[in-house]
Amino acid sequence: GVMQSLSVQASPEAEAFFRRYPVDAHVRDFFLNVPPEVQQRIMSDFKPRQEGEQDYSGLVMSYSRRCFALAQAGGGAESNVEAIRASPDWQGAPRAP
């Protein structure tokens, strides 16, 4: 595309993730600007209910936000995953900040 002059280069893993789960430029930018360990968690833990959709922007964005917030809170990786799964709305809309 024309928008290749982004300051942040996506890793091959991120490119593969975006090919599997297409997102818009806004979500892609957000993803590429979170710390690498957060990107890793998103890529390893993101499991949508449906594969093969045309656009995963909303799902990826809310999941990325939540992973980023948990990372900022400083919990360990394992407890964070448990916290996400335990929270009743982890597949729903993102909470207001």
Side-chain angles (χ1 to χ4, degrees):
V2 185
M3 300 291 292
Q4 285 311 305
S5 58
L6 293 173
S7 51
V8 188
Q9 216 35 58
S11 66
E13 294 87 353
E15 290 294 355
F17 180 79
F18 293 138
R19 274 196 298 279
R20 188 172 179 188
Y21 304 120
V23 298
D24 64 27
H26 174 70
V27 177
R28 187 185 165 96
D29 281 356
F30 181 87
F31 177 91
L32 293 175
N33 282 288
V34 300
E37 64 272 17
V38 178
Q39 294 183 18
Q40 287 297 328
R41 180 177 310 153
I42 295 163
M43 290 188 289
S44 62
D45 291 350
F46 180 70
K47 299 284 189 293
R49 277 177 271 209
Q50 290 256 239
E51 295 275 341
E53 301 279 330
Q54 295 301 303
D55 183 24
Y56 283 91
S57 299
L59 285 171
V60 172
M61 188 67 181
S62 60
Y63 193 75
S64 299
R65 274 217 183 99
R66 191 165 286 121
C67 287
F68 183 59
L70 287 167
Q72 298 296 90
E78 287 311 304
S79 61
N80 283 358
V81 172
E82 290 311 307
I84 294 169
R85 301 236 159 88
S87 85
D89 65 345
W90 74 276
Q91 288 191 315
R95 287 201 186 91

